[in-house]
Amino acid sequence: VHMVICQRVRALHALRQNQSTILVSSLPAVLHKLLPPSIFSEACFSLKVGETVERDVLLRALIRLGYSRGTLAEIPGEFSVRGGIVDIFSTAHDNPVRIEFLGDTVESIRTFDPSTQESLAQLKTTWVLPTREFIPPITQQEEAEPSPITPSMEWDLPRYYPQLVTLCDYVQNPLTVWLSRPVDLNTSAADFWNTLLETWDQLDTGHGHAEPDQLYETWDTVKLFINMCPTILWDSLRSEEHTSELQSH
């Protein structure tokens, strides 16, 4: 689960940073609605050696992004504080980072092995990305001790952000779309929606969770965006059959 979340937020961050990116995604992931890009980008932040950061502001920002405080930072989404040292296992990195402060000044940043605590590499800057695809609005976090994010909040996303978007809205650079087995996508999308509706019918609706169409976009709507982009259609079955024919000769 941690790896999936890390991959998703890293992909979103790369798109918002205008990085040249090859993104492989499944149909359900493309249909899943997301936070507005401006909200996601505003919540992500970097720490640089030599800059001044108020520790209390940093800790509140970590909690807002879903990080949990513990004695050690051993898995993505954890952080710890010991004197002038703050350890953060950011979803942006494969290893946690150790940030040493002198007062409110960042003195050093280095990655370390979470199992041995040994330093791995010195960094000049590090990014801190969300641990979930829900980020509480700032107005919900004005208290001195912000509340931790609970898993159910992601299902209530439309309550906090009525204007959700799709992955397409995160794309800023010119995009080329590669569709695998395009003839099957309409059927797959219909099957996905039928399964989704059946699952929703079995849920307890008394808790007032969002409806499926508030959390997922239709394939027809996504296709409107795709149709505006250069598109490569790839039928993998035909490719596999062609390979078999070549091997038989």
Side-chain angles (χ1 to χ4, degrees):
V1 175
H2 293 293
M3 183 56 65
V4 172
I5 293 174
C6 290
Q7 290 173 341
R8 286 178 64 87
V9 296
R10 288 178 194 178
L12 295 177
H13 184 246
L15 292 175
R16 294 306 297 165
Q17 291 293 304
N18 285 324
Q19 298 177 14
S20 296
T21 305
I22 297 176
L23 180 61
V24 180
S25 183
S26 65
L27 181 63
V30 170
L31 299 182
H32 192 277
K33 291 185 178 180
L34 304 168
L35 287 167
S38 58
I39 300 296
F40 179 86
S41 298
E42 171 270 327
C44 302
F45 63 92
S46 63
L47 296 168
K48 301 179 178 65
V49 173
E51 75 173 348
T52 300
V53 180
E54 291 186 30
R55 201 96 65 86
D56 289 344
V57 174
L58 171 60
L59 301 187
R60 286 199 298 270
L62 289 171
I63 293 175
R64 183 187 178 217
L65 293 187
Y67 287 80
S68 58
R69 183 171 180 172
T71 55
L72 295 173
E74 297 179 298
I75 60 175
E78 293 183 340
F79 76 97
S80 66
V81 181
R82 301 185 311 280
I85 297 175
V86 179
D87 291 346
I88 305 172
F89 204 144
S90 171
T91 52
H93 303 294
D94 294 332
N95 288 295
V97 294
R98 178 157 293 153
I99 305 164
E100 293 192 34
F101 285 86
L102 181 61
D104 288 335
T105 302
V106 178
E107 284 286 290
S108 69
I109 303 174
R110 61 182 184 271
T111 58
F112 66 93
D113 186 321
S115 59
T116 65
Q117 299 293 304
E118 293 182 358
S119 298
L120 297 175
Q122 293 282 345
L123 302 178
K124 293 183 178 179
T125 184
T126 185
W127 276 96
V128 179
L129 307 182
T131 65
R132 292 187 171 275
E133 293 178 40
F134 173 81
I135 301 172
I138 294 178
T139 54
Q140 303 290 323
Q141 297 290 324
E142 292 178 346
E143 64 269 22
E145 292 294 334
S147 302
I149 296 175
T150 61
S152 64
M153 286 182 172
E154 293 185 352
W155 298 101
D156 294 331
L157 199 57
R159 182 183 303 173
Y160 297 91
Y161 300 99
Q163 301 300 321
L164 298 179
V165 302
T166 66
L167 183 64
C168 304
D169 295 279
Y170 276 73
V171 177
Q172 300 180 89
N173 288 331
L175 174 68
T176 298
V177 178
W178 187 307
L179 297 179
S180 175
R181 300 187 185 184
V183 295
D184 296 335
L185 288 175
N186 288 335
T187 302
S188 298
D191 290 344
F192 170 75
W193 265 100
N194 289 335
T195 302
L196 189 65
L197 293 175
E198 290 174 1
T199 302
W200 240 257
D201 288 340
Q202 298 172 6
L203 294 177
D204 181 4
T205 57
H207 289 81
H209 291 318
E211 293 297 319
D213 60 351
Q214 294 178 289
L215 293 170
Y216 292 89
E217 190 55 85
T218 64
W219 175 234
D220 286 339
T221 300
V222 174
K223 282 195 297 185
L224 293 176
F225 174 84
I226 292 176
N227 290 339
M228 296 186 294
C229 305
T231 305
I232 299 172
L233 306 179
W234 180 51
D235 188 338
S236 59
L237 286 178
R238 183 174 303 171
S239 176
E240 291 167 1
E241 292 172 358
H242 181 61
T243 301
S244 300
E245 290 175 3
L246 291 177
Q247 291 174 344
S248 64
H249 289 299

